[in-house]
């Protein structure tokens, strides 16, 4: 390699640093442009105060999309050449997608317009008002990129938008029928007419001053950088490491380290590597396991679709749900209220309200039971038989997402109803990332849950244990507006849906240990964009000597863990490598390793 003088190397690095934000912004605008690209269709027919249009998920339609009903106008004719330059089309009404089915979608008229008839032309995101609120002071270039990527929108002037924007965001949109783009230092939020969040985009380096990055660069030597390896490559490396390492043996059911590190516990796998049981479709954001008719079932979602696999020595796809009409799927949990019947509860969020669904697994098909349940759903094993027969519904609270109202969900005549719960639950209990289990050996069920990166163990209303702030770390995150009744004080907040722990007797002493996902996060993480997980592992909490001690199970992985189960003598978990900031790449795998016997 030819030698480059030091002063030129420094200048080259500073120049490259200066170019990074521009490239990131161009990529952001390109991604937004793809998501909001124009799409034409027609109104098929009116139905119960709504309308059906001839577009579906295969066309790229999602819940929240806006369509203009276009009334054709006069031709615009060039006075000299006579050429038709265009048409003076008029936007008659604005429709918003509320359900997406196979082959068609349901929409509602935002302004209550009547007179919309079948056969009328509709165009997605065309001739709608668009406002850009910049909260970085450096977003004019981003505004220009977005305006160029989405020329069909009627953009308000940049300076006029900044003059009218609220100081702390807003609880309502800038226009009743348009889009509001809210640009922060770490993300771009696109809000719809009622200020629900339609899309969230991470922003890489958009608001970081160049000088702040370039100033620490005082010298530069040639540095060789390698492209980050894929998850599969890392798994192959671990498997090779395992093949070269002797298996760890011990007497007794499962090994408990004789010399606990720092007063904790450590359970060892039979080798330090993992076995890749199979690859899941897309990037799994949440999953759940259940045993039914002798088979171990794995339900997984990427936030959009639901797929069901059998997990034996390999993965096999057995069913999938038509969930294209559902909003962001935050969790899936198996529910077994009666012998021989198994259901799947999916908690979803459309940006402003909870809209959950229940499916029954029948003959390798997920059959819809109820698709519009206004509660978050979580299943629990109340009788310690290994099946989650109890389904708890939790209300939504704008102040903290997880509300304080709880109900028991019941099936009667094929319909889902609510009933009083009849259980005492701790304060701030979420139905996600939680379970009931006897982990003290006293014959009574304790309540365990993960919230705000902490694991809590309660007996009734008495707290028995609170972990260090290392628990959880999930790809399943909901963004919501707090204090929407007071727009001046309304801010965007985020709720994390964590993988629920499992309780299993690992060391054969008759008392179950708690196994939970734990993680180390990046200090540069931005809430709502992703977990910022640098590495994950399985934490173990054991009741010993009238106190809880903590340890680890197995080795670390450098991706989020989005599902966990103990199956006989092996640990199963779903490792998900998130896609890039531009939505590219990403993968999920079901991993296992054998516990030492």
């Amino acid at each position: 390699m030819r030698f480059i003088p030091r002063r030129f190397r420094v200048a080259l690095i500073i120049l490259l640093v200066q170019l990074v934000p521009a490239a990131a912004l161009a990529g952001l605008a390109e991604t937004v442009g793809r998501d909001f690209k124009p799409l034409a269709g027609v109104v098929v027919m009116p139905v119960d105060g709504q309308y059906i249009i001839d577009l579906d998920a295969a066309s790229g339609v999602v819940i929240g999309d806006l369509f203009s009903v276009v009334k054709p106008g006069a031709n615009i004719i060039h006075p000299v050449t006579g050429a038709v330059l265009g048409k003076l089309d008029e936007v008659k009404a604005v429709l918003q997608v509320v359900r997406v089915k196979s082959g068609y979608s349901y929409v509602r008229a935002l302004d209550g317009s009547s007179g919309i008839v079948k056969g009328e032309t509709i165009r997605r995101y065309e001739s709608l008002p668009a406002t850009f609120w910049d909260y970085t002071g450096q977003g004019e270039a981003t505004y220009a990129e977005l305006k160029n990527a989405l020329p069909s929108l009627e953009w308000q002037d940049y300076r006029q938008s900044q003059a009218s924007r609220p100081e702390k965001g807003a609880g309502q949109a800038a226009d009743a029928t348009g889009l509001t783009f809210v640009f922060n230092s770490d993300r771009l939020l696109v809000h719809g007419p009622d200020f629900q969040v339609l899309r969230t985009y991470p922003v890489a380096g958009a608001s970081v001053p160049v000088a702040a990055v370039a100033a620490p660069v005082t010298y530069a030597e040639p540095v060789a950088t390698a492209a980050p390896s894929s998850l599969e490559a890392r798994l192959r490396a671990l498997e090779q490491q395992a093949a070269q390492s002797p298996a760890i043996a011990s007497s007794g059911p499962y090994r408990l380290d004789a010399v606990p590190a720092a007063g904790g516990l450590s359970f060892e796998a039979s080798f330090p590597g993992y076995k890749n049981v199979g690859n899941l479709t897309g990037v799994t954001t949440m999953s759940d396991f259940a045993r039914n008719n002798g088979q171990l079932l794995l339900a997984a979602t990427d936030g959009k679709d639901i797929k069901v696999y059998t997990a034996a020595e390999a993965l096999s796809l057995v069913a999938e749900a038509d969930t294209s009409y559902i909003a962001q799927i935050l969790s899936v949990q198996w529910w077994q209220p009666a012998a021989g019947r198994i259901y799947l509860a999916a908690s979803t969020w459309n940006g402003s309200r909870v809209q959950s669904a229940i499916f029954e697994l029948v003959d390798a098909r997920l059959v819809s039971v109820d698709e519009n349940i206004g509660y978050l759903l979580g299943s629990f094993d109340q009788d310690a038989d290994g099946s989650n027969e109890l389904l708890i519904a939790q209300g939504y609270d704008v102040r903290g997402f997880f509300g304080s109202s709880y109900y028991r969900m019941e099936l009667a005549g094929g319909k889902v109803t609510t009933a009083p719960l009849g259980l005492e639950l701790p304060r701030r209990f979420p139905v996600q990332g939680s379970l009931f289990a006897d982990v003290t050996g006293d014959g009574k069920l304790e309540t365990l849950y993960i919230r705000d990166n902490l694991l809590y163990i309660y007996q009734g209303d008495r707290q028995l244990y609170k972990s260090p702030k290392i628990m959880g770390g999930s790809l399943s995150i909901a963004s919501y507006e707090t204090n929407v009744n007071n727009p001046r004080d309304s801010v965007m907040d985020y709720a994390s849906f964590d993988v629920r722990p499992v309780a299993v007797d690992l060391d054969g002493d008759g008392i179950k240990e708690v196994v939970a996902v734990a993680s180390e996060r990046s200090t540069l993480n931005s809430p709502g964009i992703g977990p910022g997980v640098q590495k994950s592992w399985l934490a173990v909490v054991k009741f010993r000597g009238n106190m809880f001690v903590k340890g680890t199970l197995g080795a670390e992985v450098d991706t989020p863990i989005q599902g966990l189960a103990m199956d006989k003598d092996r640990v199963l978990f779903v490792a998900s490598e998130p896609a890039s900031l531009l939505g590219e790449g990403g993968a999920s795998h079901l991993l296992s390793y054998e516990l030492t016997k």
Side-chain angles (χ1 to χ4, degrees):
M1 179 176 178
R2 189 175 177 182
F3 176 74
I4 301 176
R6 174 179 165 186
R7 65 180 182 277
F8 293 119
R9 295 200 299 268
V10 174
L12 178 61
I13 286 179
I14 293 176
L15 176 61
L16 290 174
V17 169
Q18 290 173 331
L19 291 176
V20 167
L25 293 181
L28 171 67
E30 181 181 349
T31 303
V32 177
R34 285 197 302 266
D35 289 344
F36 289 84
K37 67 181 179 182
L39 181 65
V42 297
V43 176
V44 176
M45 59 187 292
V47 177
D48 297 331
Q50 298 180 341
Y51 301 90
I52 289 178
I53 63 174
D54 65 339
L55 301 169
D56 63 0
S59 307
V61 173
V62 297
I63 289 177
D65 273 352
L66 301 176
F67 284 86
S68 302
V69 180
V70 181
K71 179 181 179 181
N75 289 339
I76 303 173
I77 301 175
H78 194 284
V80 177
T81 65
V84 177
L85 303 178
K87 285 190 173 185
L88 291 172
D89 291 346
E90 177 186 344
V91 175
K92 178 179 177 180
V94 177
L95 305 174
Q96 185 167 38
V97 177
V98 293
R99 274 182 87 183
V100 181
K101 300 293 286 183
S102 178
Y104 60 94
S105 300
Y106 288 86
V107 297
R108 65 183 178 96
L110 289 183
D111 53 3
S113 299
S114 59
I116 301 172
V117 297
K118 64 180 182 180
E120 288 195 288
T121 301
I122 58 172
R123 294 173 187 160
R124 186 174 67 169
Y125 297 117
E126 183 163 321
S127 301
L128 298 179
T131 304
F132 184 86
W133 288 342
D134 179 13
Y135 288 92
T136 69
Q138 303 174 34
E140 191 165 3
T142 305
Y143 165 81
E145 292 279 358
L146 291 172
K147 186 176 179 181
N148 183 61
L150 299 169
S152 296
L153 295 176
E154 301 291 340
W155 288 90
Q156 185 182 34
D157 178 75
Y158 174 80
R159 287 176 175 77
Q160 290 179 353
S161 298
Q162 307 329 303
S164 61
R165 69 169 170 80
E167 294 183 1
K168 294 183 177 180
Q172 61 183 26
D175 190 279
T177 58
L179 299 175
T180 307
F181 293 75
V182 179
F183 186 59
N184 297 299
S185 60
D186 56 0
R187 61 191 178 274
L188 172 71
L189 300 172
V190 185
H191 296 263
D194 56 0
F195 214 63
Q196 82 276 21
V197 178
L198 300 180
R199 300 283 198 286
T200 301
Y201 301 93
V203 177
S207 64
V208 181
V210 172
V213 180
V217 182
T218 55
Y219 65 94
E221 297 299 330
V223 178
T225 59
S229 59
S230 68
L231 180 57
E232 288 193 18
R234 293 194 292 274
L235 288 174
R236 286 195 296 270
L238 283 172
E239 289 175 351
Q240 291 173 0
Q241 177 186 356
Q244 298 170 0
S245 303
I248 301 171
S250 71
S251 58
Y254 293 98
R255 176 169 175 168
L256 173 64
D257 251 8
V259 185
L265 303 175
S266 178
F267 296 90
E268 293 184 356
S270 59
F271 55 81
Y274 300 112
K275 176 184 177 182
N276 187 1
V277 179
N279 304 329
L280 289 81
T281 302
V283 178
T284 297
T285 55
M286 189 57 65
S287 62
D288 194 38
F289 296 82
R291 190 162 285 281
N292 184 59
N293 296 328
Q295 291 184 316
L296 183 64
L297 299 177
L298 165 61
T301 179
D302 60 358
K304 300 175 183 176
D305 300 309
I306 300 174
K307 290 182 169 56
V308 176
Y309 306 83
T310 55
E313 292 305 311
L315 271 182
S316 178
L317 180 65
V318 297
E320 51 189 315
D322 175 15
T323 56
S324 57
Y325 58 88
I326 295 182
Q328 178 190 0
I329 303 173
L330 296 168
S331 79
V332 287
Q333 294 198 3
W334 290 109
W335 178 35
Q336 297 170 278
R341 308 286 291 271
I342 186 166
Y343 299 82
L344 190 65
S347 296
T348 78
W349 175 247
N350 72 359
S352 59
R353 67 186 181 93
V354 173
Q355 182 184 330
S356 297
I358 295 177
F359 303 88
E360 183 177 7
L361 183 61
V362 181
D363 298 330
R365 293 184 301 118
L366 283 171
V367 179
S368 173
V369 175
D370 197 329
E371 304 172 358
N372 194 20
I373 301 171
Y375 298 99
L376 300 166
L377 304 176
S379 60
F380 298 85
D381 182 5
Q382 198 175 7
D383 56 12
D385 68 346
S387 298
N388 292 329
E389 75 286 343
L390 172 65
L391 186 65
I392 299 179
Q394 181 174 21
Y396 166 67
D397 185 346
V398 71
R399 293 167 298 181
F401 202 88
F402 299 103
S404 57
S405 58
Y406 304 92
Y407 303 92
R408 179 189 299 265
M409 302 296 288
E410 297 179 345
L411 277 171
K415 294 185 179 297
V416 180
T417 60
T418 59
L421 180 58
L423 289 176
E424 183 181 23
L425 295 175
R427 245 182 100 252
R428 302 184 72 248
F429 174 79
V431 293
Q432 309 298 322
S434 52
L435 78 156
F436 303 144
D438 177 14
V439 294
T440 61
D442 64 354
K444 300 177 182 178
L445 294 181
E446 282 78 42
T447 302
L448 303 87
Y449 65 90
I450 295 174
R451 184 164 180 173
D452 300 329
N453 310 130
L454 298 165
L455 168 67
Y456 296 90
I457 302 178
Y458 274 82
Q459 196 165 75
D461 60 357
R462 183 167 65 97
Q463 180 179 302
L464 303 180
Y465 176 75
K466 177 181 174 182
S467 76
K469 199 164 186 174
I470 57 172
M471 297 299 183
S474 175
L475 288 172
S476 183
I477 297 173
S479 60
Y480 65 101
E481 288 282 341
T482 65
N483 202 12
V484 292
N485 295 326
N486 189 351
R488 291 185 60 84
D489 295 328
S490 180
V491 297
M492 183 67 68
D493 206 345
Y494 305 90
S496 177
F497 281 60
D498 289 299
V499 175
R500 63 173 154 199
V502 297
V504 61
D505 184 8
L506 291 171
D507 56 6
D509 67 349
I511 300 177
K512 293 180 178 179
E513 288 79 44
V514 182
V515 182
V517 175
S519 63
E520 179 180 300
R521 297 163 184 78
S522 168
T523 57
L524 299 178
N525 177 47
S526 297
I529 294 177
V533 171
Q534 293 182 318
K535 59 182 178 181
S536 302
W537 65 93
L538 299 180
V540 178
V541 176
K542 178 177 179 60
F543 188 72
R544 186 176 67 181
N546 292 323
M547 63 180 296
F548 287 96
V549 292
K550 58 181 175 59
T552 60
L553 176 64
E556 298 172 345
V557 293
D558 58 356
T559 63
I561 294 175
Q562 297 302 140
L564 173 64
M566 305 297 295
D567 178 45
K568 299 178 181 178
D569 296 337
R570 62 177 181 165
V571 181
L572 292 171
F573 62 93
V574 176
S576 290
E577 182 176 33
S580 70
L581 293 178
L582 298 181
E584 300 172 348
S588 291
H589 304 264
L590 177 62
L591 306 183
S592 75
Y593 59 80
E594 303 296 322
L595 294 171
T596 306
K597 295 185 177 181

